[in-house]
Amino acid sequence: EISNIPNRSGQYLRNVLIDNMYLNGYPQNARYRLDVSKLSENIARLGVRRDASSTRAQMKISADIKLYDKHLGQTVLNRSFRTTNSFNILDCQYSTRVSEQYARDRALEDLAKQITTEMALFSHRRAAE
């Protein structure tokens, strides 16, 4: 079960996680609940021109996850993830916004891939025990 994640980026991340993990539909009696918190984004402007305008930006997105075991009543996994992506700052404001959103989506998809991989590793370790 994947808990709701606040904000637009959180909704996008949750939808990608659902696409990656809910292969047979929504789980009816899920043993685990995945909580994603502290989803944060930081954009740093790079490539400064002589007129002090920027031509490139770097976006860093990070999130913390907790996997809660409903049967045991405790958190069984805590991890932090981060990803970095960049985009061009163009003369056209609309093009820059589209480029920024595309970079954000790619970064969130990478974050979801990292989380999905961690869940698969956790599941594999549990099965081996």
Side-chain angles (χ1 to χ4, degrees):
E1 175 182 342
I2 302 169
S3 298
N4 289 331
I5 309 168
N7 301 323
R8 185 176 186 95
S9 292
Q11 292 171 355
Y12 186 85
L13 177 61
R14 183 174 187 265
N15 286 338
V16 175
L17 287 169
I18 286 171
D19 290 345
N20 290 345
M21 293 188 203
Y22 291 0
L23 301 177
N24 297 321
Y26 188 82
Q28 295 302 318
N29 295 315
R31 177 175 177 170
Y32 299 101
R33 183 184 71 229
L34 178 65
D35 298 323
V36 179
S37 61
K38 297 181 184 176
L39 181 63
S40 64
E41 176 184 305
N42 183 19
I43 298 176
R45 298 194 177 273
L46 309 169
V48 180
R49 295 186 209 159
R50 288 183 184 171
D51 64 355
S53 63
S54 300
T55 59
R56 192 109 175 116
Q58 185 178 53
M59 178 183 297
K60 295 179 182 179
I61 298 180
S62 62
D64 294 342
I65 67 159
K66 289 184 181 181
L67 189 63
Y68 181 78
D69 187 328
K70 294 178 180 180
H71 293 202
L72 297 176
Q74 65 184 14
T75 300
V76 292
L77 181 69
N78 270 325
R79 293 284 188 271
S80 295
F81 297 94
R82 75 179 68 155
T83 187
T84 303
N85 210 330
S86 58
F87 59 94
N88 290 326
I89 299 173
L90 307 168
D91 293 332
C92 175
Q93 189 176 25
Y94 175 76
S95 298
T96 300
R97 289 282 184 200
V98 170
S99 180
E100 179 181 341
Q101 185 60 47
Y102 182 65
R104 180 176 294 109
D105 291 349
R106 286 187 323 229
L108 290 168
E109 289 164 8
D110 181 57
L111 206 59
K113 186 178 179 181
Q114 291 177 38
I115 294 169
T116 303
T117 301
E118 185 65 33
M119 295 298 100
L121 290 170
F122 174 81
S123 177
H124 181 72
R125 284 190 300 260
R126 283 292 166 137
E129 290 177 355

